[in-house]
């Protein structure tokens, strides 16, 4: 299909482009940015006046719950939610049911996602069989099936010898290992150590749970030269360790999720289980350090850490509730809010959810690597068009995910989030278009 | 609307005379918190009774708990004598619907079975909602139901009435 | 942030649930203590019942076993003329599938007016209060390690009874503070009522430094903790703590932090010794001290019934 996105402000962080321009798309590729060729006859136009035209978002952490919840149609609903959030590529962790440790499972998942045409899906393969931490998986086979890296999701490897072997093996083929810096024994609590956990009588997770694990991982990277992506930093001390490791030149990248970037343990309030998250929300100083780290590039990417949790699993006493929140639809808004609050320029803000996560994925994206997270003439047409002016109130009525729990629920925060996605283009086709929903978008006329 | 003025001190003098007429040697005075308690205290002294007057609160037996909740802890009931077989004269400032007296009698029965219970009040303002009567009232007045009559005790111990609109 | 109003208070600042002492104004605590005094005298009458809760159904929901606490709540409710239903919901039956909220919904359909809840997880009574019908009141009988507000209140009653003036006292709480809901409730009550020095005493594994955030002085030495104390509250050392990662043995704890006569001698001569019970004789407290002159452990139990009667009658009379 020939598509013309016209009159918008095109912002491409990777190239530094920021100008009013049209984007002409045909056969799944961007044909031109600027002026469409004279003979370009679009079959469809999208009027992006007053809007920003950016590369489709790349979200490095989205749980889709499939395999495992096929009967609930989760793959479809969650991929559509991603598209509604302007996300065109997402990475999912291997902790599905069963875990993604067999090429067949990976192929099936990719196949089903492709058919839905809502969002590109890049799975992480399990680093060890069954995620048990005992034996390596067939990384070569898995990467051939489509895995872009290898991960233990939230199951730390206790056996450091095995972890080192896994890093060495992955390094052989140039695979990136994605690890949560979380010590298995220190991280058994449900809230971050501090005054709030003490007052509320909740079992706590000391900062050492993250720093001890970071030290171990960094040492093993030094020893093996493996590429590691650190998932979900949550503490100031953690950011400092990553900064030093990067300064040393170690092949390490890192991400932070939207919850840790905006909230603190005080937001738990009266045991609000929507705040039951992993990693747990820490204190103000940690939040500030995470924000600085994302701004100065110590932290490469902002991720949603999408995890749809059912009502039954949240309407429980705090410690029994399942950690997690629906977030993929909020990624752009949370990035914009951070950028606005901290005075980070638009290009840098958007980079953290487009070109920077694409860079983390690097060569694992194969042919897509050249244009993922960017707007490049000749590159794939993955585009997000959004209006920065209006705000929206997050609630179970405005969320498209099947999981209706989020700490950013307007009823809890009283704060509406900025930005509204008008349209998402995936491989040249429109994967999402916004319908005017009066209750969802209370402000901001176009 | 004319303002009604009640001279509490003058009425007290009447009450003293009336109570004297009701007393038997073994009668015990029991004042209903708070206005009745002040009256009972002064009566007890003026009549030179032995021992101490009793103090009784209706708080635990009121019938308006569902609407008003638990009234302030206020004066707890203090009855320093046996209730079984006792001859009791209840003293209160204002007798109105009769519900306070009903609650107070229930409270008394938590302590034992009195022989006789009688009642003397400073003002009987009518408006009874239960079959309760006072053997002596220093004054009988009719007031609009929207107004509340209470006894106050000033710093120097003098009694005064306060008449307010219920808000 | 919205939803920050203390869920225990209605719009007029009146108590409708008792979930935690934290966040309750001083006047509310004093009102409860004063009302408890009235009920203490009721419990000395021949007829110990008053009709305040007549016709109301009080459901004791104990997800964690506790015969003694449940019994005192039952006695308190019955003395208020309420109908009492005891539900011992062992962990295994909820594991069979019925969620906590489903249990509450079913019981509400049976016209419950008040839930007295004890649960192993911090925050469970808050969850229940958020989800039950507006006319139903919730009393927290202990949630995880978070709060045991009626115990805190009866401890305050005892202190007021024997010491009168909170503003002059030094109070020491000894034992496994970090896991103790009683300690947290005591600390909030003491600080709200104006006690100038509240000490928490124990080894670092049980009394971590971050307790200071609650406004207490942290002591890791028993002698220092006892010096010139007016009130000593000893906490029960739970069996799970005694073996393994937090504490090597009961004997070691007894030696270093047990209340023996010579440790007690460091406190003020008229100091009182309290304990929420049940006591582990010879572990946290010597028999001679538990049975001695300074001990007010048994009166605490009597105060407990009056305090619970006060709490239940106050909250049942206030509308949401």
């Amino acid at each position: 299909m020939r598509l013309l996105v016209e009159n918008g402000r095109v912002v491409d962080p990777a190239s530094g482009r920021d100008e009013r321009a049209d984007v002409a798309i045909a056969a799944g590729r961007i044909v031109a940015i600027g002026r469409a060729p004279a003979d370009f006859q679009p079959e469809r136009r999208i009027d992006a006046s007053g809007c920003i035209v950016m590369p489709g978002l790349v979200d490095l952490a989205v749980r889709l719950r499939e395999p495992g919840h096929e009967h609930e149609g989760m793959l479809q609903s969650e991929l559509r939610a991603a598209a509604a959030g302007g996300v065109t590529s997402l990475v999912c962790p291997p902790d599905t049911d069963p875990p993604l440790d067999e090429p067949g499972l990976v192929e099936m998942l990719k196949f089903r996602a492709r058919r839905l045409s809502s969002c590109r899906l890049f799975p992480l393969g399990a680093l060890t069989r069954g995620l048990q931490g005992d034996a390596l998986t067939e990384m070569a086979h898995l990467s051939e099936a489509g895995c872009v890296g290898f991960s233990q999701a939230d199951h730390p490897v206790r056996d450091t010898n095995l972890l080192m072997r896994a890093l060495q093996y992955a390094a052989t083929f140039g695979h990136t290992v994605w690890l949560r810096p979380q010590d298995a024994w220190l991280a058994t609590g449900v809230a971050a150590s501090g005054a709030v956990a003490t007052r509320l009588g909740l079992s706590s997770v000391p900062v050492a749970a993250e720093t001890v694990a970071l030290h171990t991982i960094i040492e093993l990277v030094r020893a093996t030269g493996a590429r590691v992506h650190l998932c979900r930093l949550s503490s100031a001390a953690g950011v400092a360790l990553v900064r030093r490791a990067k300064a040393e030149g170690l092949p390490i990248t890192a991400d932070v999720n939207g919850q840790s970037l905006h909230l603190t343990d005080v937001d738990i309030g009266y045991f609000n289980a929507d705040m039951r998250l992993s990693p747990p929300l820490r204190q103000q100083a940690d939040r500030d350090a995470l924000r600085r780290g994302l701004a100065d590039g110590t932290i490469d990417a902002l991720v949603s850490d999408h995890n749809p949790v059912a009502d039954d699993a949240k309407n429980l006493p705090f410690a029994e509730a399942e950690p997690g929140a629906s977030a993929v639809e909020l990624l752009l808004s949370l990035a914009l809010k951070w950028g606005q609050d901290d005075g980070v320029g638009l290009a840098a803000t958007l980079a953290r959810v487009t070109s920077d996560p694409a860079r983390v994925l690097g060569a694992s994206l194969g042919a897509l690597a050249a244009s993922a997270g960017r707007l490049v003439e000749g590159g794939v047409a993955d585009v997000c068009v959004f209006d920065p002016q209006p705000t929206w109130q997050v609630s179970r009525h405005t969320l498209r995910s099947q999981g209706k729990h989020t700490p950013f629920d307007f009823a809890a925060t009283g704060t509406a989030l900025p930005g509204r996605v008008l349209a998402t283009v995936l491989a040249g086709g429109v994967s999402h278009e916004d319908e005017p929903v009066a209750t969802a978008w209370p402000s901001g006329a176009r | 609307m004319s303002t009604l003025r009640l001279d509490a001190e003058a009425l007290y003098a009447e009450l003293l005379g009336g109570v004297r007429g009701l007393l038997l040697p073994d009668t015990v005075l029991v004042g209903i918190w708070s206005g009745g308690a002040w009256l009972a205290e002064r009566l007890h002294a003026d009549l030179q009774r032995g021992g101490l007057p009793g103090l009784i609160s209706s708080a635990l037996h009121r019938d308006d708990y569902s609407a008003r909740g638990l009234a302030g802890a206020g004066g707890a009931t203090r009855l320093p004598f046996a209730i079984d077989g006792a001859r009791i004269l209840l003293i209160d400032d204002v007798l109105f619907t009769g519900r306070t007296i009903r609650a107070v009698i229930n409270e008394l029965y938590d302590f034992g079975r009195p022989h006789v219970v009688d009642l003397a009040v400073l003002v009987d303002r009518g408006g009874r909602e239960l079959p309760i009567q006072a053997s002596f009232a220093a004054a009988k007045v009719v007031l609009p139901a929207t107004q509340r009559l209470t006894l106050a005790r000033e710093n120097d111990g003098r009694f005064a009435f306060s008449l307010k609109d219920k808000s | 942030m919205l939803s920050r109003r203390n869920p225990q208070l209605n719009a007029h600042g009146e108590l409708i649930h008792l979930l935690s002492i934290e966040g309750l104004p001083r006047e509310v605590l004093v009102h409860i203590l004063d009302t408890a005094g009235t009920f203490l005298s009721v419990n000395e009458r021949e007829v110990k019942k008053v009709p305040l809760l007549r016709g109301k159904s009080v459901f004791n929901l104990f997800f964690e076993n506790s015969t003694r606490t449940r019994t005192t709540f039952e006695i308190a409710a019955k003395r208020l003329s309420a109908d009492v239903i005891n539900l011992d919901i062992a962990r295994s039956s909820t594991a069979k599938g019925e969620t906590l909220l489903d249990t509450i919904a079913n019981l509400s359909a049976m016209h419950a007016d008040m839930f007295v809840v004890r649960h192993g997880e911090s925050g469970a009574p808050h969850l229940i209060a958020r989800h039950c019908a507006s006319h139903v009141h919730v009393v927290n009988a202990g949630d995880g390690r978070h709060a045991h507000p009626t115990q805190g209140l009866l401890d305050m009653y005892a202190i007021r009874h024997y010491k009168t003036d909170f503003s002059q006292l030094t109070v020491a709480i000894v034992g496994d503070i970090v896991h103790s809901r009683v300690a947290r409730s005591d600390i909030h009550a003491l600080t709200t009522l104006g006690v100038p020095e509240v000490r928490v005493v124990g080894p670092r594994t049980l009394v971590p430094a971050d307790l200071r955030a609650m406004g207490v002085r942290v002591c890791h030495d028993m002698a220092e903790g006892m010096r010139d104390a007016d009130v000593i509250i000893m906490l029960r050392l739970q069996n799970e703590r005694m073996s393994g990662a937090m504490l090597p043995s009961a004997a070691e704890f007894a030696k270093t932090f047990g209340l023996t006569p010579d440790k007690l001698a460091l406190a003020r001569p008229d100091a009182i010794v309290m304990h929420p019970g049940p006591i582990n004789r010879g572990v946290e407290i010597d028999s001679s001290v538990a049975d001695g002159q300074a001990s007010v452990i048994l009166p605490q139990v009597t105060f407990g019934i009056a305090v619970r009667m006060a709490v239940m009658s106050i909250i049942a009379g206030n509308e949401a």
Side-chain angles (χ1 to χ4, degrees):
Chain A
M1 183 185 58
R2 289 184 302 283
L3 174 61
L4 183 67
V5 180
E6 50 188 359
N7 307 319
R9 173 183 166 194
V10 175
V11 178
D12 177 40
S15 65
R17 187 197 296 268
D18 183 347
E19 60 188 359
R20 302 212 66 213
D22 296 344
V23 179
I25 293 167
R29 301 231 150 226
I30 295 178
V31 167
I33 303 175
R35 292 257 106 188
D39 58 350
F40 186 76
Q41 301 283 29
E43 287 157 273
R44 172 91 210 257
R45 290 169 186 266
I46 292 178
D47 180 5
S49 313
C51 290
I52 291 173
V53 179
M54 63 177 283
L57 280 77
V58 178
D59 190 346
L60 300 182
V62 179
R63 270 196 180 79
L64 301 164
R65 302 281 177 139
E66 279 194 36
H69 288 252
E70 287 89 339
H71 56 290
E72 289 164 38
M74 290 221 92
L75 188 63
Q76 182 174 68
S77 64
E78 305 316 293
L79 290 178
R80 284 217 187 122
V87 175
T88 51
S89 294
L90 62 83
V91 175
C92 66
D95 58 351
T96 48
D97 179 19
L100 296 177
D101 61 0
E102 293 275 320
L105 293 167
V106 175
E107 279 157 10
M108 177 58 94
L109 184 59
K110 285 205 63 120
F111 173 71
R112 295 185 53 231
R114 251 194 318 273
R115 285 184 57 194
L116 290 167
S117 311
S118 293
C119 189
R120 294 179 201 272
L121 192 158
F122 299 103
L124 291 171
L127 186 70
T128 61
R129 283 201 224 132
L131 295 172
Q132 296 297 307
D134 300 320
L136 306 183
T137 51
E138 296 178 323
M139 295 188 210
H141 279 96
L142 285 166
S143 88
E144 207 172 77
C147 289
V148 294
F150 295 91
S151 153
Q152 279 288 114
D154 290 339
H155 303 254
V157 176
R158 289 156 207 256
D159 183 343
T160 38
N161 188 33
L162 187 106
L163 183 59
M164 187 161 89
R165 302 291 165 219
L167 290 172
Q168 279 175 334
Y169 190 73
T172 309
F173 304 100
H175 298 314
T176 304
V177 179
W178 295 47
L179 297 171
R180 269 284 303 269
Q182 169 178 260
D183 182 85
W185 292 277
L186 292 172
T188 54
V190 303
S193 290
V196 172
T198 300
R199 253 196 311 113
L200 294 181
L202 295 171
S203 57
S204 59
V205 183
V207 171
E210 182 162 291
T211 53
V212 163
L214 279 172
H215 277 293
T216 302
I217 293 170
I218 290 169
E219 274 307 310
L220 293 180
V221 167
R222 263 194 212 109
T224 60
R227 304 198 71 80
V228 165
H229 177 73
L230 296 164
C231 306
R232 309 324 97 73
L233 292 183
S234 74
S235 69
V239 175
L241 281 173
V242 172
R243 196 175 273 123
R244 277 216 308 272
K246 282 188 161 186
E248 202 184 306
L250 294 177
I252 282 177
T253 53
D255 69 50
V256 65
N257 68 26
Q259 294 86 16
S260 296
L261 197 68
H262 287 286
L263 304 167
T264 65
D265 56 358
V266 173
D267 293 309
I268 295 176
Y270 294 107
F271 299 99
N272 183 352
D274 285 351
M275 304 294 166
R276 171 85 170 93
L277 301 164
S278 179
L281 298 171
R282 293 202 174 271
Q283 285 93 51
Q284 180 103 339
D286 299 294
R287 180 180 62 180
D288 292 347
L290 291 167
R291 291 165 84 99
R292 272 198 304 277
L294 188 62
D296 70 21
T298 302
I299 302 177
D300 299 85
L302 176 64
V303 306
S304 71
D305 205 5
H306 181 80
N307 193 359
V309 180
D311 286 346
D312 283 347
K314 277 293 190 189
N315 284 336
L316 292 170
F318 194 86
E320 289 174 3
E322 190 182 319
S326 287
V328 71
E329 303 161 68
L330 314 185
L331 181 61
L332 177 60
S333 293
L334 292 176
L336 291 173
K337 183 155 171 51
W338 161 66
Q340 284 166 13
D341 291 347
D342 284 14
V344 177
L346 186 64
T349 302
L350 298 183
R352 300 295 182 272
V353 291
T354 53
S355 51
D356 291 331
R359 180 175 44 75
V360 168
L361 288 166
S364 68
L365 290 171
L368 223 47
S371 55
R374 309 155 145 228
L375 293 175
V376 177
E377 282 178 353
V380 287
D382 287 354
V383 183
C384 167
V385 181
F386 77 92
D387 185 345
Q389 290 305 334
T391 58
W392 63 294
Q393 298 181 2
V394 180
S395 77
R396 52 177 46 224
H397 307 293
T398 54
L399 282 178
R400 286 172 172 82
S401 164
Q402 282 194 51
K404 300 300 181 189
H405 290 271
T406 158
F408 297 101
D409 198 304
F410 184 74
T413 64
T415 307
L417 295 182
R420 180 186 117 199
V421 173
L422 198 74
T424 309
V425 175
L426 174 70
V430 178
S431 59
H432 170 78
E433 258 179 294
D434 187 45
E435 313 90 37
V437 178
T439 52
W441 320 114
S443 61
R446 283 203 64 238
Chain B
M1 184 80 208
S2 69
T3 49
L4 182 69
R5 273 212 234 133
L6 292 166
D7 182 336
E9 284 295 325
L11 289 177
Y12 172 78
E14 291 288 322
L15 180 66
L16 181 57
V19 166
R20 194 175 271 126
L22 293 172
L23 283 181
L24 285 172
D26 60 346
T27 304
V28 277
L29 295 177
V30 176
I32 299 176
W33 187 85
S34 59
W38 297 326
L39 292 166
E41 238 181 76
R42 210 206 278 188
L43 285 168
H44 190 97
D46 290 348
L47 294 164
Q48 290 160 340
R49 307 295 286 176
L52 285 169
L55 162 66
I56 195 162
S57 164
S58 62
L60 297 176
H61 285 274
R62 295 184 69 88
D63 62 8
D64 56 1
Y65 167 76
S66 306
R68 280 186 48 194
L70 194 62
T77 294
R78 194 188 65 234
L79 299 168
F81 37 74
I83 297 298
D84 277 327
R87 185 185 298 275
I88 293 184
L89 179 58
L90 293 171
I91 306 290
D92 206 2
D93 50 356
V94 179
L95 175 59
F96 185 18
T97 60
R99 291 174 188 276
T100 298
I101 306 301
R102 195 278 314 161
V104 158
I105 293 175
N106 274 70
E107 174 88 352
L108 261 184
Y109 268 83
D110 282 353
F111 290 86
R113 183 189 180 281
H115 174 53
V116 155
V117 179
D118 207 345
L119 173 65
V121 300
L122 208 53
V123 174
D124 177 345
R125 62 176 283 190
R128 217 76 80 236
E129 290 169 3
L130 292 170
I132 302 265
Q133 71 192 25
S135 290
F136 182 85
K140 289 195 162 99
V141 299
V142 174
L143 295 167
T146 53
Q147 292 194 318
R148 213 176 129 171
L149 181 68
T150 49
L151 187 71
R153 182 167 71 177
E154 268 135 43
N155 292 334
D156 59 0
R158 289 173 67 75
F159 292 130
F161 272 113
S162 128
L163 182 63
K164 291 201 178 102
D165 282 313
K166 288 187 195 173
S167 45
Chain C
M1 303 266 158
L2 299 176
S3 318
R4 284 297 151 122
R5 180 159 67 74
N6 193 323
Q8 309 183 75
L9 303 173
N10 64 14
H12 306 291
E14 298 163 330
L15 201 65
I16 50 172
H17 302 297
L18 182 65
L19 306 174
S20 165
I21 291 188
E22 193 185 6
L24 292 182
R26 195 175 163 280
E27 304 77 60
V28 170
L29 300 188
V30 170
H31 178 48
I32 295 172
L33 296 181
D34 289 342
T35 308
T38 308
F39 286 115
L40 205 60
S41 65
V42 166
N43 289 335
E44 282 152 20
R45 298 180 190 180
E46 197 178 295
V47 176
K48 297 175 179 37
K49 258 195 208 233
V50 292
L52 293 171
L53 260 55
R54 186 168 53 206
K56 304 276 189 208
S57 295
V58 174
F59 284 65
N60 277 335
L61 285 183
F62 277 59
F63 292 85
E64 246 187 16
N65 280 328
S66 164
T67 316
R68 59 167 41 215
T69 305
R70 209 196 62 206
T71 307
T72 56
F73 272 104
E74 185 171 347
I75 293 173
K78 285 182 169 162
R79 290 204 179 149
L80 293 170
S81 304
D83 296 322
V84 178
I85 292 96
N86 288 313
L87 289 140
D88 277 327
I89 305 173
R91 287 239 160 215
S92 57
S93 71
T94 35
K96 278 185 199 147
E98 185 168 71
T99 65
L100 176 58
L101 293 185
D102 279 342
T103 305
I104 296 301
N106 284 330
L107 294 173
S108 298
M110 296 181 208
H111 303 295
D113 296 291
M114 188 179 294
F115 290 122
V116 175
V117 183
R118 170 169 283 202
H119 198 283
E121 291 294 348
S122 302
H126 281 78
L127 179 68
I128 292 172
R130 258 204 298 277
H131 284 91
C132 64
S134 63
H135 67 278
V136 179
H137 304 276
V138 179
V139 178
N140 181 5
D143 64 326
R145 52 175 95 161
H146 170 238
H148 193 358
T150 57
Q151 181 71 44
L153 287 163
L154 79 87
D155 287 347
M156 296 309 108
Y157 192 90
I159 293 174
R160 192 170 84 160
H161 182 90
Y162 292 102
K163 295 290 173 186
T164 318
D165 184 4
F166 287 104
S167 71
Q168 309 290 325
L169 297 178
T170 296
V171 178
I173 308 176
V174 184
D176 184 359
I177 310 290
V178 80
H179 296 105
S180 170
R181 52 191 173 216
V182 173
R184 282 179 176 75
S185 288
D186 280 340
I187 290 169
H188 289 305
L190 290 165
T191 52
T192 304
L193 290 168
V195 170
E197 172 141 337
V198 180
R199 297 173 192 158
V200 289
V201 188
R204 277 174 210 268
T205 44
L206 302 179
V207 182
D210 65 11
L211 284 171
R212 264 184 231 122
M214 293 185 71
V216 298
R217 185 175 131 203
V218 172
C219 302
H220 299 300
D221 175 69
M222 188 59 169
E224 185 200 339
M226 293 297 95
R227 193 152 296 121
D228 297 330
D230 297 287
V231 177
I232 301 165
I233 302 176
M234 300 304 299
L235 299 177
R236 195 177 78 84
L237 200 63
Q238 291 153 69
N239 287 322
E240 318 82 88
R241 313 293 164 225
M242 283 195 257
S243 53
M246 303 246 172
L247 210 58
S249 68
E252 183 105 330
F253 183 84
K255 185 179 166 63
T256 48
F257 293 96
L259 188 60
T260 56
D262 55 282
K263 297 277 173 43
L264 179 57
L266 296 169
R268 294 220 115 94
D270 59 351
I272 54 172
V273 173
M274 296 169 52
H275 192 302
I279 58 182
N280 283 329
R281 289 170 181 271
V283 178
E284 68 263 6
I285 188 168
D286 268 18
S287 277
S288 62
V289 175
D291 302 328
Q293 283 210 318
S295 163
V296 304
I297 295 174
L298 288 176
Q300 278 177 275
V301 178
T302 313
F303 299 148
I305 297 177
V307 162
R308 283 161 182 140
M309 287 174 77
V311 167
M312 292 163 87
S313 58
I314 288 171
I315 66 178
N318 291 328
E319 276 176 4

